[in-house]
Amino acid sequence: MMVENDGNPAGKVVTVTRGDQFWQFVMHPGRSVLIGRGSDCDVTLPYRGVSVHHALLRYRPLGDSEPVMHLEDTSTNGTGMASGPDWLPIRKGQARALKSLGKFVVPFNRKPHQEAVVLTVINHGEGLPDAYDSKRKSGRWKYCGKLGEGGLGVVYRAVDALGRLQGDIAIKVCKLAKNIKAAAKLRSAFKLHREAQWSLQ
């Protein structure tokens, strides 16, 4: 598990999208995001078949494991999780772990005339700098996906939530081994900084 400079665990950056709607959250162990029709939800879906509090996106241990990202159903009409061409049902009280990408449909059980809402959840990973958080309305960068990966770092495509920079932005994040010493962390940051300076020339 990565840690921030203050010694606290680094948060995982997670985005939830529906078409052009976009929510992003920095998830720390124990934190949850409420999805549903209610006005108090973090992801509000104003559709008739969606429960007021339909599901929870959580980052916590399942059993004795390290914290994992998972979706827990809290509704009466279920949630569906994409598994190949099929949808697996998640019933009230059940949870399913998320990998880096997941698709969900709410509600799973619905009348033929009711609209289904498909959500895409992307787990971008830990320790991304100054990530925007829709719940706290803080941070600067809305991460849209990974552009590439090399020996020194990972490059992400992002958008400036503050609007200071227009268009897509590339953000390179240093790759650091677990339990790295402070001196090695500084050397990696120096190499990344030097590489960025060369790219500007």
Side-chain angles (χ1 to χ4, degrees), residues 15-168:
T15 56
V16 179
T17 60
R18 180 187 183 269
D20 61 351
Q21 291 178 297
F22 181 97
W23 301 269
Q24 180 172 282
F25 305 97
V26 180
M27 304 288 286
H28 293 277
R31 184 161 180 213
S32 61
V33 170
L34 183 58
I35 301 169
R37 195 175 72 233
S39 61
D40 60 336
C41 291
D42 304 307
V43 175
T44 305
L45 304 170
Y47 298 94
R48 187 171 171 82
V50 176
S51 296
V52 174
H53 295 158
H54 198 96
L56 283 168
L57 183 61
R58 295 184 174 216
Y59 183 45
R60 66 176 184 163
L62 284 177
D64 295 331
S65 70
E66 286 285 317
V68 294
M69 197 69 60
H70 63 276
L71 189 82
E72 179 182 327
D73 183 80
T74 57
S75 72
T76 55
N77 47 9
T79 301
M81 179 179 183
S83 176
D86 299 320
W87 292 96
L88 298 175
I90 305 173
R91 306 281 181 223
K92 188 171 188 167
Q94 290 181 330
R96 297 256 194 258
L98 293 174
K99 303 227 187 290
S100 59
L101 175 72
K103 283 196 180 279
F104 298 92
V105 64
V106 295
F108 184 69
N109 300 316
R110 62 191 177 280
K111 296 177 182 168
H113 65 278
Q114 284 181 326
E115 186 176 354
V117 179
V118 177
L119 298 173
T120 302
V121 179
I122 302 171
N123 182 353
H124 295 287
E126 296 178 308
L128 299 182
D130 204 10
Y132 178 78
D133 190 294
S134 298
K135 192 172 191 173
R136 295 186 182 131
K137 305 287 187 243
S138 64
R140 182 169 184 186
W141 306 113
K142 292 182 176 181
Y143 289 90
C144 304
K146 190 180 350 181
L147 289 173
E149 189 169 346
L152 289 177
V154 181
V155 180
Y156 292 90
R157 183 170 65 89
V159 175
D160 187 351
L162 303 178
R164 292 182 192 152
L165 298 172
Q166 300 301 310
D168 290 346

